[in-house]
Amino acid sequence: MNVSSPYDKVLADLTVRELTASVRGANGRSSTTRYWEYGDPAAATTLVLVHGFRGDHHGLQLVVAELLGAGKSSSAVETDAAAPALRIIAPDLPGFGRSEPLPDGDHSLAGYARWLHEFLTELASTGRLVVLGHSFGSIVVAAAVAEGLAAADVVLVNPIAAPALSGPRGILTRLAIFYYWAAASLPERWGYALLQNRAIVRVMSVSMAKTRDPAVRRWIHNQHDRYFSAFASRKVVMAAFTASVSHDVSEFAARIPQPTLLIAADRDDITPLAAQLRLRSLFPNATLRVIDNVGHLIHYETPKPAATYIREFLAEERPE
């Protein structure tokens, strides 16, 4: 069921092209990654978006729309002229959304980082490459860049700055660990049903949403209902969850020399602001921007300020 929101006009004006890429796994076999392309295909800057755990490309569409000026008048778009034209690529992570699982079955952090390398090789972009990761995607991007992914710039939104159990509501992470343990321990049919249980998905959604706008809250919950359970198998979800709670961006920060933008929230229940400040200090070249009165759903609740920070970052002059 679709739920209307204040963002309907923005999304209606967003032009998208749906494409596929055959990405080789570590065992030499290939799987299909589905991805969506926005903006100018000939732009000199390509921005690749990596979504979070159990999501798909839909989660970052509002940020895409704000970056491209969808729903704005031409005069409003002209005020952003200092930022470069963009080609934006948003894949579904392997095993989620409409992308096939990795052919070698390795849905660990190393497996996803390797996939990102191969996907971008297959994409064969020319010009400036920028990679953006949200939440779990921030860990995937950080791991890949630390291992040599040739990105010019890095953007991490709601980055996982410290171990998940250390967050201000670590009890929720412990409950999540028990939930996924139970889903793995039950027979296949019941475990799968537990993972897709709409009541549990709604509890998760309610706990993360901070906006007081009832229309936006309804829309967020609907987005989670529609896309949070689009995964290939119980095995994929369990492996990705293990990766998401076993690693964080701080492990890789010191090995990322590229200019890096961190966009954090002051009410994030997964990573406290103090951890984000510490994370910034671990990067050789990072800028931290904090959005107030929002939590782990910057991409849903405050896409406009997030996009503004990204465009400002991309417009900065870089030393030759």
Side-chain angles (χ1 to χ4, degrees), residues 122-266:
E122 181 67 23
L123 209 59
S125 294
T126 59
R128 180 188 187 188
L129 173 65
V130 183
V131 287
L132 178 153
H134 172 257
S135 190
F136 175 54
S138 74
I139 311 177
V140 174
V141 166
V145 175
E147 291 298 324
L149 181 69
D153 305 275
V154 178
V155 180
L156 305 178
V157 181
N158 286 122
I160 307 300
L165 290 175
S166 69
R169 296 177 69 180
I171 183 62
L172 292 180
T173 305
R174 290 178 174 84
L175 288 173
I177 289 173
F178 175 76
Y179 164 64
Y180 284 101
W181 171 83
S185 301
L186 289 168
E188 179 76 19
R189 176 185 175 187
W190 296 108
Y192 201 84
L194 181 61
L195 288 171
Q196 294 188 313
N197 185 278
R198 292 174 66 89
I200 293 175
V201 171
R202 180 56 55 88
V203 168
M204 175 279 303
S205 188
V206 169
S207 71
M208 290 197 294
K210 304 302 180 188
T211 179
R212 295 184 178 180
D213 186 322
V216 175
R217 289 185 71 90
R218 283 193 300 271
W219 183 76
I220 289 171
H221 299 332
N222 179 255
Q223 291 290 290
H224 285 138
D225 286 346
R226 294 177 66 189
Y227 304 120
F228 201 67
S229 295
F231 49 82
S233 69
R234 178 171 66 165
K235 182 178 179 181
V236 167
V237 173
M238 294 306 303
F241 175 73
T242 299
S244 72
V245 297
S246 301
H247 300 278
D248 64 84
V249 175
S250 69
E251 297 174 42
F252 310 102
R255 293 188 283 140
I256 299 176
Q258 291 92 331
T260 300
L261 173 64
L262 310 175
I263 303 179
D266 69 337

